[in-house]
Amino acid sequence: MRALLDDGLDELAAKTYQGFPQRMATTAIVAALASNLLPWQSCALFLVAQSISEGICLLASRRQFLGFKATPRQRLIQLSTVGFGCISWMTLGALLWSSGTAAGAVTGMMLWLSVIFFAQTHAYQSPLGFVVGGALPGAGILIWCLAFAPNPLNMPKFPVFGLMIMSLAFASDAVVRALAARRKFEEAQARLRTSEVEYRVLADNITDVIALNDLDGRRRYMSPSIERTMGYSVDELFSTQNYTFLHPDDATWVPRELAAMVERGGEMTLQYRIVHKAGHPVWVETSFGLVQAGDATQIISVSRPIDARKALETELVEARQRAEDAAAAKSDFLANMTHELRTPLNAIVGFSGILRRSPRLEAQDAHHAALIHDASTTLLELVNSVLDFSRLEAGAVEVEARPFDPETPVRAIAALMNEQARAKGLTLTVETRGEIAPLLGDASRIRQVLLNFVSNAIKFTAEGGVTLT
C-alpha cells in the first residue's frame, strides 16, 4: 500500500508539473471573467493564492517530472498544494453560487463540474489524483449546496441529492477501475523487475563480453564482464568512443572491416587485439551482427578472450618448425651416412664379383663368393634406398624404366635368403609358370620390394616353406 501511494504521488506530481502553463493561463482567464460577477478584490485574491500554490507545486514536483523518486517531504508539499488548489477552485465556485444571481449560480456549477471532470480524466492515470483533485472536493461542495448554501435557482433538493449520489457512485466506480488498472500495472512492473533481475544475473556473470554500439562508434551497452577481461570498468568505457583501445596494428583494418559489413549486411567474426588497462595486448575473437532498434541500425557484438588459443597456435607453429628442422637434419645425416657406407660397399661388391669369377676357386668357394656378392649388392641397394628417402623428402626421386629379366632378381633373392629359411627349418623355392619374357621397369626397386616380402614371410612362417612364384 505504501508503494502504491508513493507511485501515485509521483505520477500525479509529474503530470502536475507538465500542465503548469495551461493551468496558470486558465486561472488568469477565469479570474478575469469572474470579476464581472464578484468583487475584483476576491478575484485578485484567488489569482494570487492560486499562483503561489502553483509555484510551490511546480518546485515540489520537478524531481518526479524528471523521473526520480521524491522525498516524503516533497510528496507532502506537492499533495498539499494540489489539495489547496482544489479547495481554492471550489471556493470560487461557491462564491459565484452565492452571488445571488442566476448567472453566478450557473457559472459556479459549471466551474464545479469542470473541476470534477478534470479529476475524472485523471482517474485512470492516477487514483490519488482523482481522490484529492475531484472526488472529495466535488462531494463536499454538493453536500454544502444541499444542506447549507442558498438556492438561487430554486432547484428542488431531491434532484441535487440524486446528482450527488450519482456523482459519488460514478466516482467509486472510477476509483475501483483505476485501482484495478493500477494492480495490473503493478503486476506488470513486478514481472518486468523479475525479468530484469534474471537478465542482470545472466549479463553480470557471463564470461563473454556483450556490447551494443551505434554506427558512429558511440557505446549503448556493455556487459560488466568487460572488467574481468580488459580491466576497464563500464563507466570508463562509456566515457570513450568505440575502437579507442584497439591495438595499434589492428586500429586501421578492424573499423574498415566493420564499415564493409554495415554496407553489405550480414555477420562476421574477427580476431584482433585490445590493449588491456594494465598495458599488455589481449587477443579477442568477436562476432559482429546488425540489429534494428526502431529507425536506427546498431552493431551488436559478442567477444571472448582467446589468448590461450593463440598461445597454443604459436606453440604448434614452433613445434612444426622444430619438426621440419629435425627432419632436415635427419635427411642431411642419412645422406651423409649413406654416402660414407656406399664407398666400402662398392669395394665389397666389386671384389666379390671378381672373386666369384676366379677360376682358381673351388665350386663351393665360388658359390660362397657369389652369395657375398649378392648380399653386398642387396645391402648396397638398401643403403641406396635410405638415400632415396632423403630424395623423396626433397621430391627428387625418379623411377627408372629399363628392360630386365623378371626371373633374375627373384632367384637372386631366393639364393640370398635361403640360409635364413634353412636355419628355421623352412624350404624356400622359386616356381615359374609360362613364358618368362623381359619386362620394362625399375629392377632394383622391384628387388627391394621382393626382399621385404620374402624376409617377412620367413620371419612369420613357423613351419613348412615359402614359395616365390
Short mmCIF file of all heavy atoms in Angstrom, two decimals, residues 142-201:
data_model
loop_
_atom_site.label_atom_id
_atom_site.label_comp_id
_atom_site.label_asym_id
_atom_site.label_seq_id
_atom_site.Cartn_x
_atom_site.Cartn_y
_atom_site.Cartn_z
N LEU A 142 -21.16 19.43 -3.19
CA LEU A 142 -22.55 19.02 -3.39
C LEU A 142 -23.28 18.93 -2.05
O LEU A 142 -24.44 19.35 -1.92
CB LEU A 142 -22.59 17.67 -4.11
CG LEU A 142 -22.24 17.71 -5.61
CD1 LEU A 142 -22.20 16.30 -6.17
CD2 LEU A 142 -23.24 18.56 -6.39
N ILE A 143 -22.61 18.39 -1.04
CA ILE A 143 -23.21 18.33 0.31
C ILE A 143 -23.45 19.74 0.84
O ILE A 143 -24.50 20.05 1.43
CB ILE A 143 -22.30 17.53 1.25
CG1 ILE A 143 -22.26 16.05 0.80
CG2 ILE A 143 -22.80 17.62 2.68
CD1 ILE A 143 -21.27 15.21 1.58
N TRP A 144 -22.49 20.61 0.61
CA TRP A 144 -22.63 22.01 1.07
C TRP A 144 -23.83 22.69 0.41
O TRP A 144 -24.62 23.36 1.06
CB TRP A 144 -21.35 22.77 0.75
CG TRP A 144 -21.41 24.23 1.13
CD1 TRP A 144 -21.28 24.77 2.37
CD2 TRP A 144 -21.64 25.32 0.24
NE1 TRP A 144 -21.39 26.13 2.33
CE2 TRP A 144 -21.62 26.50 1.02
CE3 TRP A 144 -21.86 25.43 -1.14
CZ2 TRP A 144 -21.80 27.77 0.47
CZ3 TRP A 144 -22.04 26.69 -1.67
CH2 TRP A 144 -22.01 27.84 -0.88
N CYS A 145 -23.96 22.50 -0.91
CA CYS A 145 -25.10 23.11 -1.62
C CYS A 145 -26.42 22.54 -1.14
O CYS A 145 -27.43 23.25 -1.02
CB CYS A 145 -24.97 22.89 -3.13
SG CYS A 145 -23.61 23.79 -3.88
N LEU A 146 -26.44 21.23 -0.85
CA LEU A 146 -27.68 20.57 -0.45
C LEU A 146 -28.11 20.98 0.95
O LEU A 146 -29.30 21.20 1.22
CB LEU A 146 -27.50 19.05 -0.52
CG LEU A 146 -28.72 18.20 -0.18
CD1 LEU A 146 -29.83 18.45 -1.18
CD2 LEU A 146 -28.34 16.73 -0.14
N ALA A 147 -27.16 21.15 1.85
CA ALA A 147 -27.52 21.34 3.25
C ALA A 147 -27.47 22.79 3.71
O ALA A 147 -28.31 23.22 4.50
CB ALA A 147 -26.59 20.49 4.12
N PHE A 148 -26.51 23.57 3.22
CA PHE A 148 -26.27 24.90 3.83
C PHE A 148 -26.38 26.06 2.86
O PHE A 148 -26.78 27.16 3.24
CB PHE A 148 -24.86 24.93 4.45
CG PHE A 148 -24.61 23.79 5.40
CD1 PHE A 148 -23.74 22.76 5.04
CD2 PHE A 148 -25.25 23.72 6.63
CE1 PHE A 148 -23.51 21.70 5.90
CE2 PHE A 148 -25.01 22.66 7.49
CZ PHE A 148 -24.14 21.64 7.12
N ALA A 149 -26.03 25.89 1.63
CA ALA A 149 -25.93 27.04 0.73
C ALA A 149 -27.30 27.51 0.27
O ALA A 149 -28.27 26.74 0.26
CB ALA A 149 -25.10 26.64 -0.49
N PRO A 150 -27.42 28.79 -0.09
CA PRO A 150 -28.67 29.30 -0.67
C PRO A 150 -28.95 28.63 -2.01
O PRO A 150 -28.04 28.05 -2.62
CB PRO A 150 -28.40 30.79 -0.83
CG PRO A 150 -26.91 30.91 -0.89
CD PRO A 150 -26.38 29.84 0.02
N ASN A 151 -30.14 28.72 -2.47
CA ASN A 151 -30.56 28.07 -3.70
C ASN A 151 -31.11 29.13 -4.63
O ASN A 151 -32.33 29.28 -4.77
CB ASN A 151 -31.61 27.00 -3.40
CG ASN A 151 -31.90 26.12 -4.62
OD1 ASN A 151 -31.35 26.31 -5.68
ND2 ASN A 151 -32.81 25.17 -4.42
N PRO A 152 -30.25 29.88 -5.32
CA PRO A 152 -30.74 31.00 -6.13
C PRO A 152 -31.60 30.55 -7.30
O PRO A 152 -32.42 31.32 -7.80
CB PRO A 152 -29.46 31.66 -6.61
CG PRO A 152 -28.41 30.62 -6.51
CD PRO A 152 -28.80 29.76 -5.37
N LEU A 153 -31.43 29.34 -7.78
CA LEU A 153 -32.23 28.88 -8.92
C LEU A 153 -33.50 28.18 -8.48
O LEU A 153 -34.28 27.72 -9.32
CB LEU A 153 -31.41 27.93 -9.79
CG LEU A 153 -30.13 28.54 -10.41
CD1 LEU A 153 -29.43 27.49 -11.25
CD2 LEU A 153 -30.47 29.77 -11.24
N ASN A 154 -33.71 28.13 -7.14
CA ASN A 154 -34.90 27.46 -6.60
C ASN A 154 -35.03 26.03 -7.13
O ASN A 154 -36.11 25.56 -7.49
CB ASN A 154 -36.18 28.26 -6.94
CG ASN A 154 -36.17 29.61 -6.24
OD1 ASN A 154 -35.77 29.73 -5.08
ND2 ASN A 154 -36.57 30.65 -6.98
N MET A 155 -33.87 25.29 -7.19
CA MET A 155 -33.88 23.90 -7.67
C MET A 155 -34.34 22.99 -6.55
O MET A 155 -33.98 23.20 -5.39
CB MET A 155 -32.48 23.47 -8.12
CG MET A 155 -31.97 24.22 -9.34
SD MET A 155 -30.27 23.76 -9.73
CE MET A 155 -30.48 22.01 -9.98
N PRO A 156 -35.17 21.96 -6.83
CA PRO A 156 -35.57 21.01 -5.80
C PRO A 156 -34.33 20.29 -5.26
O PRO A 156 -33.42 19.95 -6.00
CB PRO A 156 -36.49 20.04 -6.54
CG PRO A 156 -36.91 20.76 -7.77
CD PRO A 156 -35.81 21.69 -8.14
N LYS A 157 -34.32 20.09 -3.95
CA LYS A 157 -33.14 19.48 -3.34
C LYS A 157 -33.04 17.98 -3.64
O LYS A 157 -31.96 17.42 -3.63
CB LYS A 157 -33.15 19.69 -1.83
CG LYS A 157 -32.91 21.14 -1.44
CD LYS A 157 -32.57 21.27 0.01
CE LYS A 157 -32.19 22.73 0.33
NZ LYS A 157 -31.73 22.85 1.72
N PHE A 158 -34.14 17.34 -3.95
CA PHE A 158 -34.06 15.91 -4.25
C PHE A 158 -33.23 15.62 -5.49
O PHE A 158 -32.36 14.74 -5.47
CB PHE A 158 -35.47 15.32 -4.40
CG PHE A 158 -35.46 13.86 -4.73
CD1 PHE A 158 -35.21 12.92 -3.72
CD2 PHE A 158 -35.68 13.42 -6.02
CE1 PHE A 158 -35.18 11.57 -4.03
CE2 PHE A 158 -35.65 12.07 -6.32
CZ PHE A 158 -35.42 11.14 -5.32
N PRO A 159 -33.45 16.38 -6.61
CA PRO A 159 -32.58 16.15 -7.77
C PRO A 159 -31.12 16.44 -7.44
O PRO A 159 -30.22 15.74 -7.94
CB PRO A 159 -33.12 17.10 -8.83
CG PRO A 159 -34.55 17.30 -8.44
CD PRO A 159 -34.56 17.30 -6.94
N VAL A 160 -30.88 17.47 -6.61
CA VAL A 160 -29.49 17.76 -6.25
C VAL A 160 -28.90 16.60 -5.46
O VAL A 160 -27.76 16.18 -5.67
CB VAL A 160 -29.41 19.07 -5.44
CG1 VAL A 160 -27.98 19.32 -4.96
CG2 VAL A 160 -29.89 20.24 -6.29
N PHE A 161 -29.71 16.03 -4.54
CA PHE A 161 -29.25 14.89 -3.76
C PHE A 161 -29.00 13.68 -4.68
O PHE A 161 -28.02 12.95 -4.53
CB PHE A 161 -30.31 14.55 -2.71
CG PHE A 161 -29.93 13.38 -1.85
CD1 PHE A 161 -28.96 13.52 -0.86
CD2 PHE A 161 -30.52 12.14 -2.03
CE1 PHE A 161 -28.60 12.44 -0.07
CE2 PHE A 161 -30.16 11.06 -1.24
CZ PHE A 161 -29.20 11.22 -0.25
N GLY A 162 -29.90 13.50 -5.65
CA GLY A 162 -29.70 12.41 -6.61
C GLY A 162 -28.44 12.60 -7.43
O GLY A 162 -27.70 11.65 -7.71
N LEU A 163 -28.18 13.89 -7.82
CA LEU A 163 -26.96 14.18 -8.57
C LEU A 163 -25.73 13.84 -7.73
O LEU A 163 -24.73 13.31 -8.25
CB LEU A 163 -26.96 15.65 -8.99
CG LEU A 163 -25.72 16.13 -9.74
CD1 LEU A 163 -25.55 15.39 -11.05
CD2 LEU A 163 -25.82 17.64 -10.00
N MET A 164 -25.81 14.15 -6.43
CA MET A 164 -24.68 13.86 -5.55
C MET A 164 -24.44 12.35 -5.47
O MET A 164 -23.30 11.87 -5.57
CB MET A 164 -24.96 14.42 -4.16
CG MET A 164 -23.84 14.15 -3.15
SD MET A 164 -24.29 14.66 -1.48
CE MET A 164 -25.52 13.43 -1.10
N ILE A 165 -25.53 11.56 -5.30
CA ILE A 165 -25.40 10.12 -5.21
C ILE A 165 -24.82 9.54 -6.50
O ILE A 165 -23.92 8.68 -6.49
CB ILE A 165 -26.76 9.46 -4.90
CG1 ILE A 165 -27.26 9.93 -3.52
CG2 ILE A 165 -26.63 7.94 -4.94
CD1 ILE A 165 -26.33 9.56 -2.37
N MET A 166 -25.29 10.06 -7.65
CA MET A 166 -24.79 9.57 -8.94
C MET A 166 -23.31 9.90 -9.11
O MET A 166 -22.51 9.09 -9.60
CB MET A 166 -25.61 10.18 -10.09
CG MET A 166 -27.04 9.67 -10.16
SD MET A 166 -27.99 10.51 -11.44
CE MET A 166 -27.06 10.04 -12.88
N SER A 167 -22.97 11.11 -8.67
CA SER A 167 -21.55 11.51 -8.80
C SER A 167 -20.67 10.62 -7.93
O SER A 167 -19.59 10.19 -8.34
CB SER A 167 -21.38 12.98 -8.41
OG SER A 167 -22.12 13.80 -9.27
N LEU A 168 -21.13 10.36 -6.68
CA LEU A 168 -20.34 9.52 -5.80
C LEU A 168 -20.24 8.09 -6.34
O LEU A 168 -19.19 7.45 -6.24
CB LEU A 168 -20.94 9.52 -4.40
CG LEU A 168 -20.81 10.84 -3.62
CD1 LEU A 168 -21.53 10.74 -2.28
CD2 LEU A 168 -19.36 11.21 -3.41
N ALA A 169 -21.34 7.59 -6.92
CA ALA A 169 -21.32 6.24 -7.49
C ALA A 169 -20.34 6.15 -8.66
O ALA A 169 -19.55 5.22 -8.79
CB ALA A 169 -22.73 5.83 -7.93
N PHE A 170 -20.43 7.21 -9.51
CA PHE A 170 -19.51 7.24 -10.65
C PHE A 170 -18.06 7.33 -10.18
O PHE A 170 -17.16 6.69 -10.71
CB PHE A 170 -19.86 8.42 -11.55
CG PHE A 170 -18.95 8.55 -12.75
CD1 PHE A 170 -19.07 7.69 -13.83
CD2 PHE A 170 -17.97 9.52 -12.77
CE1 PHE A 170 -18.23 7.81 -14.93
CE2 PHE A 170 -17.13 9.64 -13.86
CZ PHE A 170 -17.27 8.80 -14.95
N ALA A 171 -17.86 8.14 -9.12
CA ALA A 171 -16.51 8.29 -8.58
C ALA A 171 -16.01 6.98 -8.01
O ALA A 171 -14.84 6.60 -8.21
CB ALA A 171 -16.51 9.38 -7.51
N SER A 172 -16.87 6.26 -7.28
CA SER A 172 -16.45 4.98 -6.70
C SER A 172 -16.09 3.98 -7.79
O SER A 172 -15.08 3.27 -7.69
CB SER A 172 -17.57 4.41 -5.82
OG SER A 172 -17.88 5.32 -4.78
N ASP A 173 -16.93 3.95 -8.85
CA ASP A 173 -16.63 3.03 -9.95
C ASP A 173 -15.31 3.38 -10.61
O ASP A 173 -14.51 2.50 -10.95
CB ASP A 173 -17.77 3.08 -10.97
CG ASP A 173 -17.50 2.19 -12.16
OD1 ASP A 173 -17.48 0.95 -11.99
OD2 ASP A 173 -17.28 2.74 -13.26
N ALA A 174 -15.08 4.68 -10.78
CA ALA A 174 -13.83 5.11 -11.39
C ALA A 174 -12.63 4.73 -10.54
O ALA A 174 -11.59 4.31 -11.05
CB ALA A 174 -13.86 6.62 -11.63
N VAL A 175 -12.79 4.90 -9.21
CA VAL A 175 -11.69 4.55 -8.31
C VAL A 175 -11.40 3.06 -8.38
O VAL A 175 -10.25 2.62 -8.44
CB VAL A 175 -12.02 4.99 -6.87
CG1 VAL A 175 -11.01 4.40 -5.90
CG2 VAL A 175 -12.03 6.50 -6.76
N VAL A 176 -12.51 2.23 -8.38
CA VAL A 176 -12.32 0.78 -8.45
C VAL A 176 -11.60 0.39 -9.72
O VAL A 176 -10.64 -0.40 -9.72
CB VAL A 176 -13.67 0.06 -8.34
CG1 VAL A 176 -13.51 -1.43 -8.65
CG2 VAL A 176 -14.26 0.25 -6.95
N ARG A 177 -12.04 0.97 -10.86
CA ARG A 177 -11.39 0.63 -12.12
C ARG A 177 -9.95 1.12 -12.16
O ARG A 177 -9.06 0.46 -12.69
CB ARG A 177 -12.18 1.22 -13.29
CG ARG A 177 -13.45 0.45 -13.62
CD ARG A 177 -14.16 1.03 -14.79
NE ARG A 177 -14.77 2.31 -14.45
CZ ARG A 177 -15.32 3.15 -15.35
NH1 ARG A 177 -15.31 2.81 -16.62
NH2 ARG A 177 -15.86 4.27 -14.97
N ALA A 178 -9.72 2.29 -11.59
CA ALA A 178 -8.36 2.83 -11.57
C ALA A 178 -7.45 1.97 -10.71
O ALA A 178 -6.29 1.70 -11.07
CB ALA A 178 -8.37 4.27 -11.06
N LEU A 179 -7.97 1.52 -9.56
CA LEU A 179 -7.17 0.66 -8.68
C LEU A 179 -6.88 -0.68 -9.35
O LEU A 179 -5.79 -1.24 -9.21
CB LEU A 179 -7.88 0.46 -7.35
CG LEU A 179 -7.94 1.70 -6.44
CD1 LEU A 179 -8.76 1.39 -5.20
CD2 LEU A 179 -6.55 2.16 -6.06
N ALA A 180 -7.89 -1.21 -10.09
CA ALA A 180 -7.67 -2.45 -10.81
C ALA A 180 -6.59 -2.29 -11.88
O ALA A 180 -5.73 -3.14 -12.05
CB ALA A 180 -8.98 -2.94 -11.45
N ALA A 181 -6.67 -1.15 -12.59
CA ALA A 181 -5.65 -0.87 -13.59
C ALA A 181 -4.29 -0.73 -12.94
O ALA A 181 -3.26 -1.18 -13.47
CB ALA A 181 -6.00 0.40 -14.38
N ARG A 182 -4.29 -0.09 -11.75
CA ARG A 182 -3.02 0.07 -11.03
C ARG A 182 -2.45 -1.29 -10.62
O ARG A 182 -1.25 -1.52 -10.70
CB ARG A 182 -3.25 0.95 -9.81
CG ARG A 182 -2.09 1.00 -8.83
CD ARG A 182 -0.82 1.50 -9.46
NE ARG A 182 -0.93 2.89 -9.84
CZ ARG A 182 0.07 3.60 -10.35
NH1 ARG A 182 1.24 3.02 -10.54
NH2 ARG A 182 -0.09 4.85 -10.69
N ARG A 183 -3.34 -2.21 -10.17
CA ARG A 183 -2.87 -3.53 -9.78
C ARG A 183 -2.26 -4.26 -10.97
O ARG A 183 -1.21 -4.91 -10.85
CB ARG A 183 -4.02 -4.34 -9.18
CG ARG A 183 -4.31 -4.02 -7.73
CD ARG A 183 -5.18 -5.07 -7.10
NE ARG A 183 -6.45 -5.23 -7.77
CZ ARG A 183 -7.55 -4.52 -7.48
NH1 ARG A 183 -7.50 -3.61 -6.52
NH2 ARG A 183 -8.67 -4.73 -8.13
N LYS A 184 -2.93 -4.16 -12.13
CA LYS A 184 -2.36 -4.79 -13.32
C LYS A 184 -1.01 -4.17 -13.68
O LYS A 184 -0.08 -4.87 -14.08
CB LYS A 184 -3.34 -4.65 -14.50
CG LYS A 184 -4.61 -5.46 -14.34
CD LYS A 184 -5.51 -5.31 -15.55
CE LYS A 184 -6.78 -6.13 -15.39
NZ LYS A 184 -7.67 -5.98 -16.57
N PHE A 185 -0.95 -2.86 -13.54
CA PHE A 185 0.29 -2.18 -13.82
C PHE A 185 1.39 -2.64 -12.85
O PHE A 185 2.54 -2.86 -13.24
CB PHE A 185 0.09 -0.66 -13.72
CG PHE A 185 1.33 0.13 -13.92
CD1 PHE A 185 1.92 0.24 -15.17
CD2 PHE A 185 1.93 0.79 -12.85
CE1 PHE A 185 3.07 0.98 -15.37
CE2 PHE A 185 3.09 1.53 -13.03
CZ PHE A 185 3.66 1.63 -14.30
N GLU A 186 1.01 -2.77 -11.57
CA GLU A 186 1.98 -3.23 -10.57
C GLU A 186 2.45 -4.65 -10.87
O GLU A 186 3.63 -4.98 -10.73
CB GLU A 186 1.35 -3.18 -9.17
CG GLU A 186 1.16 -1.78 -8.62
CD GLU A 186 2.48 -1.10 -8.34
OE1 GLU A 186 3.46 -1.80 -8.01
OE2 GLU A 186 2.54 0.13 -8.45
N GLU A 187 1.50 -5.52 -11.29
CA GLU A 187 1.88 -6.89 -11.63
C GLU A 187 2.83 -6.90 -12.83
O GLU A 187 3.80 -7.66 -12.86
CB GLU A 187 0.62 -7.71 -11.93
CG GLU A 187 -0.25 -7.96 -10.70
CD GLU A 187 -1.56 -8.63 -11.06
OE1 GLU A 187 -1.78 -8.85 -12.28
OE2 GLU A 187 -2.36 -8.93 -10.16
N ALA A 188 2.53 -6.07 -13.82
CA ALA A 188 3.41 -5.99 -14.99
C ALA A 188 4.79 -5.49 -14.58
O ALA A 188 5.82 -5.98 -15.06
CB ALA A 188 2.80 -5.07 -16.05
N GLN A 189 4.80 -4.48 -13.68
CA GLN A 189 6.09 -3.98 -13.21
C GLN A 189 6.85 -5.05 -12.44
O GLN A 189 8.07 -5.17 -12.57
CB GLN A 189 5.88 -2.75 -12.32
CG GLN A 189 5.67 -1.45 -13.09
CD GLN A 189 5.75 -0.26 -12.19
OE1 GLN A 189 5.30 -0.31 -11.04
NE2 GLN A 189 6.30 0.83 -12.70
N ALA A 190 6.14 -5.85 -11.64
CA ALA A 190 6.79 -6.92 -10.87
C ALA A 190 7.40 -7.96 -11.83
O ALA A 190 8.53 -8.42 -11.63
CB ALA A 190 5.80 -7.59 -9.93
N ARG A 191 6.64 -8.31 -12.89
CA ARG A 191 7.19 -9.25 -13.86
C ARG A 191 8.39 -8.66 -14.57
O ARG A 191 9.37 -9.36 -14.85
CB ARG A 191 6.10 -9.65 -14.88
CG ARG A 191 5.01 -10.52 -14.29
CD ARG A 191 4.17 -11.13 -15.39
NE ARG A 191 3.48 -10.11 -16.18
CZ ARG A 191 2.26 -9.65 -15.92
NH1 ARG A 191 1.59 -10.13 -14.88
NH2 ARG A 191 1.71 -8.73 -16.68
N LEU A 192 8.30 -7.37 -14.86
CA LEU A 192 9.42 -6.70 -15.52
C LEU A 192 10.64 -6.68 -14.62
O LEU A 192 11.77 -6.92 -15.08
CB LEU A 192 9.01 -5.28 -15.91
CG LEU A 192 10.08 -4.44 -16.62
CD1 LEU A 192 10.47 -5.11 -17.95
CD2 LEU A 192 9.58 -3.03 -16.88
N ARG A 193 10.43 -6.41 -13.32
CA ARG A 193 11.56 -6.40 -12.40
C ARG A 193 12.18 -7.79 -12.28
O ARG A 193 13.40 -7.95 -12.24
CB ARG A 193 11.11 -5.90 -11.03
CG ARG A 193 10.92 -4.38 -10.96
CD ARG A 193 10.78 -3.93 -9.52
NE ARG A 193 9.57 -4.43 -8.91
CZ ARG A 193 8.40 -3.79 -8.89
NH1 ARG A 193 8.31 -2.60 -9.47
NH2 ARG A 193 7.34 -4.31 -8.30
N THR A 194 11.31 -8.83 -12.23
CA THR A 194 11.84 -10.21 -12.17
C THR A 194 12.65 -10.53 -13.41
O THR A 194 13.73 -11.12 -13.33
CB THR A 194 10.68 -11.20 -12.01
OG1 THR A 194 9.94 -10.89 -10.82
CG2 THR A 194 11.20 -12.63 -11.93
N SER A 195 12.11 -10.14 -14.57
CA SER A 195 12.83 -10.39 -15.82
C SER A 195 14.14 -9.63 -15.84
O SER A 195 15.17 -10.16 -16.29
CB SER A 195 11.96 -9.97 -17.00
OG SER A 195 12.66 -10.12 -18.21
N GLU A 196 14.12 -8.41 -15.33
CA GLU A 196 15.36 -7.62 -15.31
C GLU A 196 16.39 -8.24 -14.38
O GLU A 196 17.59 -8.27 -14.68
CB GLU A 196 15.05 -6.18 -14.88
CG GLU A 196 16.27 -5.28 -14.91
CD GLU A 196 15.93 -3.85 -14.54
OE1 GLU A 196 14.76 -3.57 -14.23
OE2 GLU A 196 16.85 -3.02 -14.56
N VAL A 197 15.93 -8.76 -13.23
CA VAL A 197 16.85 -9.40 -12.30
C VAL A 197 17.50 -10.62 -12.95
O VAL A 197 18.72 -10.84 -12.86
CB VAL A 197 16.12 -9.80 -11.00
CG1 VAL A 197 16.99 -10.72 -10.15
CG2 VAL A 197 15.74 -8.56 -10.20
N GLU A 198 16.67 -11.43 -13.63
CA GLU A 198 17.21 -12.61 -14.30
C GLU A 198 18.20 -12.21 -15.39
O GLU A 198 19.25 -12.84 -15.57
CB GLU A 198 16.07 -13.44 -14.90
CG GLU A 198 15.16 -14.06 -13.84
CD GLU A 198 13.97 -14.75 -14.46
OE1 GLU A 198 13.76 -14.57 -15.69
OE2 GLU A 198 13.23 -15.45 -13.73
N TYR A 199 17.83 -11.16 -16.13
CA TYR A 199 18.74 -10.69 -17.17
C TYR A 199 20.04 -10.19 -16.56
O TYR A 199 21.13 -10.47 -17.08
CB TYR A 199 18.07 -9.57 -17.96
CG TYR A 199 19.04 -8.73 -18.74
CD1 TYR A 199 19.63 -9.19 -19.91
CD2 TYR A 199 19.39 -7.46 -18.30
CE1 TYR A 199 20.53 -8.44 -20.61
CE2 TYR A 199 20.29 -6.68 -19.00
CZ TYR A 199 20.85 -7.18 -20.15
OH TYR A 199 21.74 -6.41 -20.83
N ARG A 200 19.96 -9.48 -15.46
CA ARG A 200 21.16 -8.95 -14.81
C ARG A 200 22.05 -10.09 -14.31
O ARG A 200 23.27 -10.02 -14.40
CB ARG A 200 20.78 -8.03 -13.65
CG ARG A 200 20.27 -6.67 -14.10
CD ARG A 200 21.34 -5.92 -14.82
NE ARG A 200 20.84 -4.66 -15.35
CZ ARG A 200 21.54 -3.87 -16.16
NH1 ARG A 200 22.75 -4.24 -16.52
NH2 ARG A 200 21.03 -2.75 -16.62
N VAL A 201 21.43 -11.14 -13.76
CA VAL A 201 22.22 -12.29 -13.30
C VAL A 201 23.00 -12.88 -14.47
O VAL A 201 24.19 -13.21 -14.36
CB VAL A 201 21.30 -13.34 -12.67
CG1 VAL A 201 22.07 -14.63 -12.43
CG2 VAL A 201 20.73 -12.82 -11.36
#
